[in-house]
Amino acid sequence: MSHAAGICTAPRRNHPDSYLRLRGRKTLPSPPVRNNPVTAMGDKFPFRARNPEHTKQLILDAARVEFSRAGLAGARVDRIAETSGANKRMIYHYFGSKEQLFTAVIEDAYSRIRGQEMQLNLDALAPQEAIRQLVEFTWEYYLANPEFITLVNSENLHQARHITGNRELRKLQKAYVETVEKILQRGEAAGVFRSGIDALQLCITIAAIGFYYLTNRHTGSVIFGFNFTSRKALAARIEFNVETIMRMVLACPDEA
């Protein structure tokens, strides 16, 4: 049997093009609540000059919104300063330049999703449930953090030059693939997963089936003739995503 997603909630307000968010299983972690979240485009953050790490995070949060809204070329440091409550001098002091700040935002975006995946504690779950939750989490993360998709698309336009050679991101990604590989090995040993599944390709596919759908939501809605981000469409999509991945890995696909 396929697994259907839950009911959507209202769109987030901290991004100009938010998606409706689907809630999955109760075991899935919610995005972390920050002391000073971006609540709306252009809202100012409380500023605490005596806490450098806090100030840097406020700048990163404001920059994430600005870069996802306008891209690297169109983003304005003035707007980032106004939103974060930090002055431009402090932004340049911490990050060096607008391009270096963009690099930090991209690094932070990847680190955040990998960090939340670690909270799923997939090693403690049965293999089938672990893969199912990973698919649901990835989808929900994209819905709850639409700026992630925008930023990744933006970095692809720059041919990934801002993250090329980043050892920390490679380390995080390697750990993610290894986690999935262990799940596959446990499933194969238990006789529930088929043998010979490439963990790297599976990770790419789990990301792709959600990423492609959401990044092409506007053109897709026009071409296919239905609203990609309606409640009904989002619920149908996550159900299809879960069933598709489970049929790929199960030794008996009809049990998906």
Side-chain angles (χ1 to χ4, degrees):
M1 296 292 291
S2 63
H3 180 78
I7 302 300
C8 299
T9 61
R12 283 168 49 124
R13 297 170 52 199
N14 65 337
H15 190 277
D17 194 18
S18 293
Y19 315 123
L20 294 175
R21 184 182 178 192
L22 287 177
R23 293 197 179 277
R25 294 174 175 266
K26 293 181 180 180
T27 52
L28 292 178
S30 299
V33 177
R34 299 183 182 277
N35 292 330
N36 295 281
V38 180
T39 56
M41 189 65 64
D43 284 359
K44 293 184 179 180
F45 294 107
F47 178 59
R48 300 174 185 175
R50 295 185 181 277
N51 189 333
E53 290 306 312
H54 178 75
T55 300
K56 288 172 69 174
Q57 189 59 59
L58 292 180
I59 293 170
L60 276 174
D61 289 344
R64 183 173 62 251
V65 174
E66 177 66 10
F67 285 126
S68 66
R69 184 193 68 83
L72 174 58
R76 296 287 303 277
V77 176
D78 287 337
R79 282 195 290 261
I80 295 171
E82 181 180 1
T83 303
S84 66
N87 57 48
K88 290 174 65 176
R89 179 186 60 80
M90 190 165 291
I91 292 174
Y92 289 122
H93 170 72
Y94 284 131
F95 296 98
S97 66
K98 184 175 82 167
E99 187 146 354
Q100 287 175 298
L101 177 56
F102 179 76
T103 299
V105 167
I106 297 297
E107 292 173 351
D108 183 64
Y110 277 107
S111 296
R112 282 157 61 92
I113 187 171
R114 296 287 87 91
Q116 288 194 43
E117 281 165 351
M118 292 178 185
Q119 296 177 34
L120 295 173
N121 198 19
L122 298 175
D123 290 338
L125 301 176
Q128 303 101 306
E129 185 62 20
I131 294 297
R132 185 185 299 276
Q133 286 211 20
L134 182 57
V135 176
E136 291 176 347
F137 166 81
T138 302
W139 174 255
E140 283 210 351
Y141 190 89
Y142 293 164
L143 291 174
N145 300 273
E147 68 276 5
F148 175 77
I149 289 179
T150 306
L151 290 168
V152 171
N153 283 338
S154 181
E155 179 61 357
N156 272 287
L157 290 175
H158 293 284
Q159 300 180 345
R161 63 186 173 88
H162 300 96
I163 61 172
T164 297
N166 189 307
R167 294 183 179 180
E168 281 304 310
L169 291 186
R170 287 289 302 119
K171 183 179 178 180
L172 287 172
Q173 197 69 18
K174 184 173 182 290
Y176 169 55
V177 174
E178 288 175 349
T179 296
V180 173
E181 187 169 25
K182 290 177 183 177
I183 296 170
L184 293 174
Q185 290 171 350
R186 288 195 291 120
E188 182 178 348
V192 295
F193 288 169
R194 63 184 181 84
S195 62
I197 301 172
D198 188 319
L200 177 61
Q201 291 298 333
L202 181 61
C203 290
I204 294 171
T205 301
I206 290 173
I209 58 176
F211 196 98
Y212 176 88
Y213 182 93
L214 293 174
T215 200
N216 291 282
R217 63 202 175 280
H218 300 303
T219 52
S221 294
V222 172
I223 293 171
F224 290 100
F226 70 93
N227 182 357
F228 269 36
T229 54
S230 70
R231 293 165 63 104
K232 181 179 179 180
L234 290 174
R237 185 63 199 183
I238 182 55
E239 182 176 358
F240 181 85
N241 288 356
V242 170
E243 183 174 1
T244 298
I245 295 299
M246 296 309 295
R247 284 183 172 276
M248 287 178 60
V249 300
L250 287 173
C252 298
D254 289 341
E255 297 178 2

